[in-house]
Each structure stands twice: as C-alpha cells, then as structure tokens.
C-alpha cells in the first residue's frame, strides 16, 4: 500500500473515534432494550436499522456527487446524529428510546456515503481493509470501556460519552480536513442526477449478482441472530455490563482487526470469493453451536 496522505489519515482517525462510540453504544443498546422488556422483533428491528438507513444513503451520496463536496455532508450528518443519541439515555420508555436511536441513524445515513467516497478517492480500494482493521480496534476500545463508563455514570453516561466522542470527530473534520472539490457530473439538474442514480442497475460483471444474493441471505441470518446472541451473552455473564463489554470487545474488536489485516493479505493472493465462502461456512458452523451451548466459558470462546 502506498504511503497515506494527510487527508486520509485524518479520515481514518475520525473513523476510529466513531468506532469507539459505536463500541460503547451498540452492545449496550440491545441490553437497554432488554431492560425495557422489549420483545425480540423490536430488538432485531433496531439492530438492523443502521443497514436499512443505508437505503437512503444512495440519495445522500448522489447529492454529494452532484455538488462534488463531501465535507459538509459528513459534518452535518454526524452532528445531527449525535444530538438524539445524547438524549437516548434519558428516554423514559421503550418507544421514545427506539425513536431517538432511529432518528440518530437516519442522520448518519447523510454522512457515511460522503465519508466512504472521500476515503476511497484518497486511498483506493485497499484502504477499506485498513479501515476495517482500525474500526475494529476502535470498537474494541469502546466495548472495553463500556463497563467502566456504565459503572460510574450509568446508562445516561454511556450515550453522552458516545455523543461527545462523535462531536470530537466532527471537530477534527471541520478543523483539519481539507477536501479538494471534485468535478461535477454532466447533469442539467439535481433531479435528473437523482433520477439516474436511483435506477436499479449494476455496473459490474453479471455474475456479481450471485455474490450480492449470497450476501443478502447471509446478512438476514446475521441480523436475525445478532440481538438474541447478545442477550444470551449478557445473561451468561450474569448481567455484568463490564464482562459482557469485554467479550464483545475481544470478539468484534481485537480479533476482527487481526482478521481484517489477514484478509487483506490473503485477498491479494487468492482473491475475495474463496475468503467470502470460507467466512460463510464458518458462520453456518458457529451459529448452531452458540444456540446450543449453555457454558459461559465455551459460549464466550466461540463468540469471540
């Protein structure tokens, strides 16, 4: 990989901060809903909503492309997303809590397309492997800190701390990030550009659609299992937020970071499809084990 530009390093550093915030809140959101006596379908919906909000990302990304600007969309989207997140810990009932989390993720869908576009333009496609590794490290730090933050400041402190970290990342973007304005597309109007970008067509090898179908099916199982596995982990850890956070941090954080770096190297040599196939086979083996195991130690090891 080529030496990283200053602008790329700035974006990567903000991604790490965002991942620390996500490592704090997303393991805790499911626990929070469990404490609100939420049903499982509600947990699945909230856990999956960030992915659903990406549908709107196509629109925001197209608007960003049209104007050739990334920074305003990143700053505005992340700022507006941090505000409802800060109030989520103060929600007095389940549905107020869910609404605040959904509003927060809706606004994030404004910022993320511009962030990924700016990063890819600066660092090329290989930058996403490094991004995954650094994001996993950030997640590990956030999840590892969850128990300490919760012990000292409670649930309100978890959300306020995460929102503060996000605001810090926005400040870094506003103060340090200098973007080069990109060339605008040859469209007579924004409406024409949006209409063209929202057409359901894929500019790729026709066989790529089978990869997309496989990924779609795999993500259904991931989102269906995710909240239930987190609640099971929380209960097996005797409802200790700290221990639960540490297991989440080690699994979704440390080993994911190492795995991302390993995949970068293997993908260059063997290509992406064999690694994707191996990963799906591994998940199909681990999910039934996690569903059947009742030992806290064995569950934690398999989960990590």
């Amino acid at each position: 990989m080529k030496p990283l530009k200053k602008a790329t390093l700035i974006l990567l550093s903000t991604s790490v901060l965002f991942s620390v915030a996500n490592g704090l809140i997303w393991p805790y959101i499911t626990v929070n809903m469990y404490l609100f006596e939420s049903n499982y379908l509600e947990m699945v919906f909230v856990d999956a909503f960030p992915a659903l909000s990406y549908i709107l990302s196509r629109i925001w990304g197209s608007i960003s492309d049209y104007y050739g600007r990334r920074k305003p969309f990143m700053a505005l989207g992340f700022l507006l997303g941090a505000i409802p997140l800060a109030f989520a810990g103060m929600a007095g009932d389940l549905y107020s809590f869910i609404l605040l989390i959904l509003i927060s993720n809706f606004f994030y869908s404004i910022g993320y397309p511009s962030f990924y576009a700016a990063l890819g333009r600066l660092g090329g496609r290989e930058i996403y492997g490094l991004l995954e590794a650094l994001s996993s490290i950030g997640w590990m730090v956030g999840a590892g800190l969850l128990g300490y933050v919760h012990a000292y400041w409670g649930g309100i402190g978890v959300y306020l701390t995460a929102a503060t970290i996000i605001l810090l990342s926005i400040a870094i973007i506003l103060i340090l990030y200098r973007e080069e304005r990109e060339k605008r597309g040859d469209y007579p109007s924004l409406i024409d550009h949006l209409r063209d970008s929202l057409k359901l067509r894929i500019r790729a090898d026709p066989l790529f659609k089978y990869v997309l179908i496989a990924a779609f099916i795999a993500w259904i199982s991931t989102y269906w299992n995710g909240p239930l596995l987190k609640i099971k982990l929380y209960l097996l850890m005797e409802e200790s937020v700290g221990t639960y956070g540490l297991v989440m941090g080690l699994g979704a954080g440390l080993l994911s970071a190492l795995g991302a770096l390993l995949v970068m190297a293997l993908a260059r040599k063997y290509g992406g499809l064999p690694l994707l196939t191996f990963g799906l086979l591994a998940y199909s083996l681990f999910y039934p084990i996690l569903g059947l195991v009742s030992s806290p130690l064995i569950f934690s090891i398999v989960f990590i």
Side-chain angles (χ1 to χ4, degrees):
M1 183 179 288
K2 298 177 181 178
L4 300 178
K5 300 177 182 178
K6 180 182 177 181
T8 308
L9 292 172
I10 291 170
L11 292 179
L12 288 174
S13 66
T14 60
S15 176
V16 172
L17 287 174
F18 258 95
S19 298
V20 172
N22 286 331
L24 270 171
I25 59 170
W26 278 105
Y28 189 68
I29 283 173
T30 307
V31 170
N32 207 159
M33 295 187 68
Y34 171 78
L35 297 176
F36 271 127
E37 299 182 348
S38 169
N39 65 53
Y40 180 55
L41 288 177
E42 291 166 340
M43 292 182 186
V44 171
F45 175 71
V46 171
D47 211 53
F49 189 78
L52 293 173
S53 68
Y54 292 159
I55 296 172
L56 299 173
S57 294
R58 185 75 180 264
I59 297 174
W60 299 119
S62 295
I63 297 173
S64 173
D65 289 341
Y66 180 79
Y67 289 107
R69 299 293 305 278
R70 310 298 180 188
K71 184 174 177 177
F73 291 90
M74 286 188 278
L76 181 64
F78 296 150
L79 174 61
L80 293 177
I83 295 171
L85 182 64
F87 287 97
M90 306 173 196
D93 62 89
L94 173 63
Y95 294 109
S96 297
F97 173 78
I98 290 176
L99 181 61
L100 287 167
I101 296 300
L102 298 189
I103 292 173
S104 177
N105 278 278
F106 167 77
F107 286 127
Y108 288 151
S109 73
I110 298 175
Y112 272 117
S114 292
F115 174 82
Y116 287 122
L119 193 61
R121 185 170 181 268
L122 290 166
R125 65 181 185 178
E126 283 194 353
I127 199 67
Y128 294 114
L130 180 58
L131 172 68
E132 182 69 24
L134 293 175
S135 297
S136 295
I137 293 173
W139 175 282
M140 177 186 67
V141 172
L145 290 174
L146 173 58
Y148 297 99
V149 175
H150 185 267
Y152 282 101
W153 296 303
I156 294 176
V158 173
Y159 296 104
L160 287 176
T161 302
T164 301
I165 293 172
I166 292 171
L167 290 175
L168 176 60
S169 69
I170 296 169
I172 292 174
I173 291 174
L174 289 173
I175 297 170
L176 299 179
Y177 179 63
R178 299 286 183 268
E179 70 171 345
E180 296 179 7
R181 188 158 186 167
E182 300 172 20
K183 182 180 178 181
R184 291 174 55 167
D186 296 326
Y187 294 94
S189 70
L190 175 61
I191 299 300
D192 290 332
H193 179 60
L194 282 172
R195 187 184 297 117
D196 186 66
S197 65
L198 291 176
K199 292 178 181 177
L200 294 177
R201 64 174 182 267
I202 300 173
R203 299 182 182 92
D205 190 310
L207 293 176
F208 186 62
K209 64 184 178 182
Y210 297 112
V211 177
L212 294 178
I213 292 171
F216 176 76
I217 296 171
W219 277 112
I220 289 176
S221 68
T222 298
Y223 280 117
W224 181 256
N225 281 286
L228 189 58
L229 291 178
K230 285 191 282 186
I231 292 300
K232 184 173 182 178
L233 173 63
Y234 175 67
L235 295 176
L236 288 175
M237 297 299 105
E238 299 180 346
E239 301 189 20
S240 166
V241 174
T243 308
Y244 162 80
L246 286 174
V247 175
M248 291 288 293
L250 288 173
L254 179 61
L255 291 187
S256 291
L258 297 175
L261 294 174
L262 178 62
V263 165
M264 284 175 64
L266 292 175
R268 293 192 199 104
K269 187 172 183 180
Y270 300 108
L273 282 178
L275 298 174
L276 176 62
T277 304
F278 175 78
L280 294 176
L281 289 173
Y283 271 113
S284 68
L285 174 65
F286 290 149
Y287 278 151
I289 294 174
L290 289 168
L292 295 171
V293 165
S294 57
S295 163
L297 178 61
I298 296 175
F299 186 93
S300 297
I301 291 172
V302 177
F303 189 92
I304 290 172

